[in-house]
Amino acid sequence: MLGYIACVDGSLLTDGDLALRPAGSLRNPWLREALADEGYPLPNLPLTRRTDADVVVVGGGYTGLWTVYHLLERDPQLRVVLLEMDICGGGPSGRNGGFVNGWWDELGLLRELFGSERALACAREVSRSVAEIGTWCERHAIDAQYRHGGMLTVSTTPLHDGSWRCSTDAAKRLGVEDAYRELSEAEVAGRCRSPVFRAGALMADAGTVHPARLARGLRAVCVARGALVHEGTHVRRIRREGSTVRIITESAAGEGEVRASQVVLALNAWAAGWRPFRRSLVTWSSWMVRTEPIPELIEERIGWIGGESIVDARFTVHYFHVTRDGRIAFGAGGGRPGYDGRIGRSFVDDLSSGRRAAAGFRRIFPQLADVRLTDMWGGPIDVGADHLPRFGTLAGGRIHFGFGYSGNGVAPSHLGGRILAGLILGTDEPITHLPLVGGVPRRFPPEPFRYVGARILREALVRREDGEERGLRPAPWLKILTGLPRRLGYHLGPD
Ligand SMILES: Cc1cc2nc3c(=O)[nH]c(=O)nc-3n(C[C@H](O)[C@H](O)[C@H](O)COP(=O)(O)OP(=O)(O)OC[C@H]3O[C@@H](n4cnc5c(N)ncnc54)[C@H](O)[C@@H]3O)c2cc1C
């Protein structure tokens, strides 16, 4: 295998891969590109005074921005303030894998948790969001490179064959078989060639975007509609006082305060550091690498021209798509967990997790051994006990929240924004009655047990799934260990 160097863990990397370093505190390439389009704007000024608002949204990622957008769409007179400690899109919304996928591949789980009718309602609403993100980009002339190409789940080892069947069977039973249907090995190869691809399943309701251009485009539209956006503004404390909520902030320029009637916490993995949500989340990192532009090689050597995004069937999933400029953006889930809700350096500066993404790419596409990887970056994901997001309102009725996307939040955060706007405005509509709203997800154990458990599970999952890719059946102890979360009632890890 020309150009490869075998690493101690058995993965194959090139010299160039070994020289690649995580972005760390530097901006990831998606965000660099989006900021370059905008002419490298200065961040909006931080909040340094006392002010009032009808609604304060904390967090300038998709959840916060879609909430602002939907609020102002419904009531343009609302005084909406958005507070973001970095810049809008500086979090995972500006650095994710760009998958805008529906939930038909989750249909089996949704049905098990909520029953057939409510499962269908959830999946239909996420599909609506997949489509609406595309039409929203067109309507607002935001070139987020939205492409509706479907999503392919593929098995890359005989031990993962048919792992989609719980959802494809559910789709058949519920009369929506075209939403998520099985593909033979030949059909998969007709869409993308890899020596490790076997059979798979195709979800039609799925697209891809340039994630940072979507986040920054949303910011621009929200600002144009009158939202007051303060960046570099860290929300330190939130206090309920009678019919108002005080939001106390700090920034490099000083302290600030907003009094509002309602607050939305759109904090993603950072929610795990806030008391009411601390036990509802585990934070893990997800990692990405990106190739140089190789449009011709992608067509000639792997025949991947249909715009499908692709995931394998691992729990520590590999996910990849082709960008408009002909690069492959390739991600690997299952990075390291965080401790006690702290989102520290390991989420952006963890070479071994970044290299796992590179190794995944090399294993799946050996035909591209001579292609250079140019970037490596990571970020936190917010994993809930059942792998699904939750939206709701804390006691007192003024503080709303949405989190728990579990690394799959691009389309669901659009739905989240619609739901949160509905909760704030008190409208009675089908989406505010979805089972994702108001329910209390199962809690995780307190620290240090949560961290230790997440760490052990992560190592065991990686070991099991790496072995399965080499055709090794997991040893009984490894099977028991990786199956433990399921037995304890968490929907994490393999069945
Ligand atoms: C590497 C990677 C790849 C991914 N790939 C995909 C994918 O392909 N498809 C998919 O669907 N999902 C993917 N995800 C997940 C997806 O990015 C998230 O689910 C989604 O962006 C969540 O949006 P959000 O607005 O809730 O969170 P975020 O974008 O994280 O926004 C939360 C914001 O809150 C801010 N904040 C936190 N605390 C405070 C505070 N105290 N004061 C002020 N501001 C605060 C943060 O700075 C952050 O900007 C991926 C995630 C990662 C890390």
Side-chain angles (χ1 to χ4, degrees), residues 162-429:
S163 52
W164 45 82
R165 209 148 282 148
C166 166
S167 289
T168 46
D169 283 353
K172 264 187 223 148
R173 233 170 277 134
L174 299 179
V176 287
E177 52 272 33
D178 287 343
Y180 193 49
R181 65 183 170 83
E182 294 203 35
L183 296 187
S184 67
E185 190 168 337
E187 286 172 314
V188 167
R191 289 171 181 269
C192 180
R193 293 191 296 274
S194 157
V196 296
F197 282 179
R198 299 168 60 81
L202 179 71
M203 173 160 56
D205 287 340
T208 51
V209 281
H210 185 297
R213 285 192 173 130
L214 177 61
R216 300 294 299 177
L218 259 167
R219 174 191 185 271
V221 172
C222 290
V223 169
R225 298 236 163 157
L228 216 56
V229 173
H230 292 286
E231 294 174 313
T233 303
H234 183 235
V235 171
R236 264 194 314 125
R237 259 197 342 270
I238 295 182
R239 282 212 194 123
R240 245 187 312 124
E241 287 181 1
S243 60
T244 58
V245 188
R246 276 176 67 202
I247 299 105
I248 295 139
T249 69
E250 65 184 10
S251 71
E255 298 202 340
E257 181 180 323
V258 200
R259 284 169 187 269
S261 330
Q262 315 227 38
V263 179
V264 177
L265 298 178
L267 299 169
N268 191 13
W270 287 268
W274 288 70
R275 203 178 317 128
F277 315 120
R278 198 159 251 158
R279 297 270 306 275
S280 306
L281 290 175
V282 173
T283 55
W284 259 303
S285 60
S286 195
W287 280 83
M288 297 206 67
V289 290
R290 215 172 68 154
T291 66
E292 58 190 321
I294 44 160
E296 293 85 12
L297 299 190
I298 291 173
E299 183 169 351
E300 281 161 24
R301 297 191 192 167
I302 56 181
W304 186 10
I305 53 169
E308 306 86 349
S309 54
I310 306 183
V311 288
D312 65 13
R314 293 174 63 125
F315 182 78
T316 54
V317 62
H318 291 124
Y319 49 97
F320 31 107
H321 83 271
V322 178
T323 64
R324 186 188 283 172
D325 59 351
R327 299 169 188 266
I328 295 179
F330 192 102
R336 290 200 199 146
Y339 181 76
D340 201 21
R342 285 173 226 156
I343 306 299
R345 268 204 86 69
S346 71
F347 288 89
V348 291
D349 207 353
D350 173 3
L351 185 59
S352 68
S353 294
R355 280 193 181 155
R356 285 195 50 249
F361 171 75
R362 295 297 176 199
R363 173 177 182 266
I364 287 179
F365 294 121
Q367 311 100 303
L368 302 175
D370 53 341
V371 166
R372 241 169 21 98
L373 296 176
T374 53
D375 301 278
M376 176 187 282
W377 70 97
I381 60 172
D382 51 347
V383 180
D386 56 20
H387 228 70
L388 296 172
R390 285 295 190 287
F391 307 94
T393 304
L394 295 180
R398 300 196 173 275
I399 304 177
H400 313 274
F401 62 86
F403 60 78
Y405 299 105
S406 305
N408 191 6
V410 179
S413 59
H414 175 273
L415 171 60
R418 285 158 56 208
I419 290 173
L420 288 164
L423 293 177
I424 291 161
L425 299 173
T427 50
D428 186 20
E429 49 192 313

Side-chain angles (χ1 to χ4, degrees), residues 59 61-63 84-85 92-93 96-99 235 266 268 319 407-410:
Y62 300 139
T63 306
E84 164 57 52
M85 65 180 176
S93 295
N96 60 72
F99 279 52
V235 171
N268 191 13
Y319 49 97
N408 191 6
V410 179

